[in-house]
PDB file of all heavy atoms in Angstrom:
ATOM      1  N   GLY A 178     -53.828  59.579 -73.019  1.00  0.00           N
ATOM      2  CA  GLY A 178     -53.817  58.859 -74.306  1.00  0.00           C
ATOM      3  C   GLY A 178     -53.989  57.359 -74.159  1.00  0.00           C
ATOM      4  O   GLY A 178     -54.091  56.642 -75.154  1.00  0.00           O
ATOM      5  N   SER A 180     -56.142  54.095 -72.597  1.00  0.00           N
ATOM      6  CA  SER A 180     -57.393  53.670 -71.953  1.00  0.00           C
ATOM      7  C   SER A 180     -57.520  52.148 -72.032  1.00  0.00           C
ATOM      8  O   SER A 180     -56.798  51.515 -72.848  1.00  0.00           O
ATOM      9  CB  SER A 180     -58.595  54.339 -72.629  1.00  0.00           C
ATOM     10  OG  SER A 180     -58.673  53.949 -73.984  1.00  0.00           O
ATOM     11  N   LEU A 189     -65.074  35.749 -64.377  1.00  0.00           N
ATOM     12  CA  LEU A 189     -65.014  34.738 -65.418  1.00  0.00           C
ATOM     13  C   LEU A 189     -63.637  34.024 -65.398  1.00  0.00           C
ATOM     14  O   LEU A 189     -63.542  32.812 -65.574  1.00  0.00           O
ATOM     15  CB  LEU A 189     -65.275  35.345 -66.770  1.00  0.00           C
ATOM     16  CG  LEU A 189     -65.449  34.406 -67.949  1.00  0.00           C
ATOM     17  CD1 LEU A 189     -66.589  33.444 -67.701  1.00  0.00           C
ATOM     18  CD2 LEU A 189     -65.691  35.156 -69.254  1.00  0.00           C
ATOM     19  N   ARG A 203     -57.506  15.930 -63.306  1.00  0.00           N
ATOM     20  CA  ARG A 203     -58.059  14.742 -63.950  1.00  0.00           C
ATOM     21  C   ARG A 203     -56.907  13.926 -64.563  1.00  0.00           C
ATOM     22  O   ARG A 203     -56.853  12.725 -64.477  1.00  0.00           O
ATOM     23  CB  ARG A 203     -59.045  15.114 -65.063  1.00  0.00           C
ATOM     24  CG  ARG A 203     -60.044  14.007 -65.406  1.00  0.00           C
ATOM     25  CD  ARG A 203     -61.067  14.492 -66.450  1.00  0.00           C
ATOM     26  NE  ARG A 203     -61.855  15.620 -65.991  1.00  0.00           N
ATOM     27  CZ  ARG A 203     -62.202  16.687 -66.736  1.00  0.00           C
ATOM     28  NH1 ARG A 203     -61.818  16.757 -67.989  1.00  0.00           N
ATOM     29  NH2 ARG A 203     -62.935  17.665 -66.257  1.00  0.00           N
ATOM     30  N   PHE A 222     -51.988  34.446 -62.004  1.00  0.00           N
ATOM     31  CA  PHE A 222     -52.515  33.222 -62.567  1.00  0.00           C
ATOM     32  C   PHE A 222     -52.008  32.025 -61.789  1.00  0.00           C
ATOM     33  O   PHE A 222     -52.754  31.159 -61.386  1.00  0.00           O
ATOM     34  CB  PHE A 222     -52.154  33.169 -64.054  1.00  0.00           C
ATOM     35  CG  PHE A 222     -52.612  31.944 -64.810  1.00  0.00           C
ATOM     36  CD1 PHE A 222     -53.827  31.384 -64.554  1.00  0.00           C
ATOM     37  CD2 PHE A 222     -51.782  31.378 -65.791  1.00  0.00           C
ATOM     38  CE1 PHE A 222     -54.262  30.256 -65.260  1.00  0.00           C
ATOM     39  CE2 PHE A 222     -52.200  30.269 -66.489  1.00  0.00           C
ATOM     40  CZ  PHE A 222     -53.427  29.688 -66.234  1.00  0.00           C
ATOM     41  N   VAL A 254     -35.365  35.844 -76.892  1.00  0.00           N
ATOM     42  CA  VAL A 254     -35.621  35.363 -75.544  1.00  0.00           C
ATOM     43  C   VAL A 254     -34.277  35.124 -74.866  1.00  0.00           C
ATOM     44  O   VAL A 254     -33.415  34.456 -75.437  1.00  0.00           O
ATOM     45  CB  VAL A 254     -36.449  34.054 -75.611  1.00  0.00           C
ATOM     46  CG1 VAL A 254     -36.755  33.550 -74.186  1.00  0.00           C
ATOM     47  CG2 VAL A 254     -37.712  34.219 -76.415  1.00  0.00           C
ATOM     48  N   LEU A 332     -50.698  40.999 -66.433  1.00  0.00           N
ATOM     49  CA  LEU A 332     -50.061  41.447 -67.683  1.00  0.00           C
ATOM     50  C   LEU A 332     -49.836  42.968 -67.656  1.00  0.00           C
ATOM     51  O   LEU A 332     -50.722  43.714 -67.203  1.00  0.00           O
ATOM     52  CB  LEU A 332     -50.958  41.094 -68.873  1.00  0.00           C
ATOM     53  CG  LEU A 332     -51.034  39.608 -69.164  1.00  0.00           C
ATOM     54  CD1 LEU A 332     -52.342  39.271 -69.858  1.00  0.00           C
ATOM     55  CD2 LEU A 332     -49.842  39.211 -70.038  1.00  0.00           C
ATOM     56  N   ALA A 355     -44.780  55.106 -75.417  1.00  0.00           N
ATOM     57  CA  ALA A 355     -44.351  53.745 -75.068  1.00  0.00           C
ATOM     58  C   ALA A 355     -43.156  53.768 -74.147  1.00  0.00           C
ATOM     59  O   ALA A 355     -42.464  54.714 -74.075  1.00  0.00           O
ATOM     60  CB  ALA A 355     -44.008  52.989 -76.325  1.00  0.00           C
TER      61      ALA A 355
END
Side-chain angles (χ1 to χ4, degrees):
S180 60
L189 189 58
R203 202 177 300 139
F222 179 38
V254 182
L332 289 155

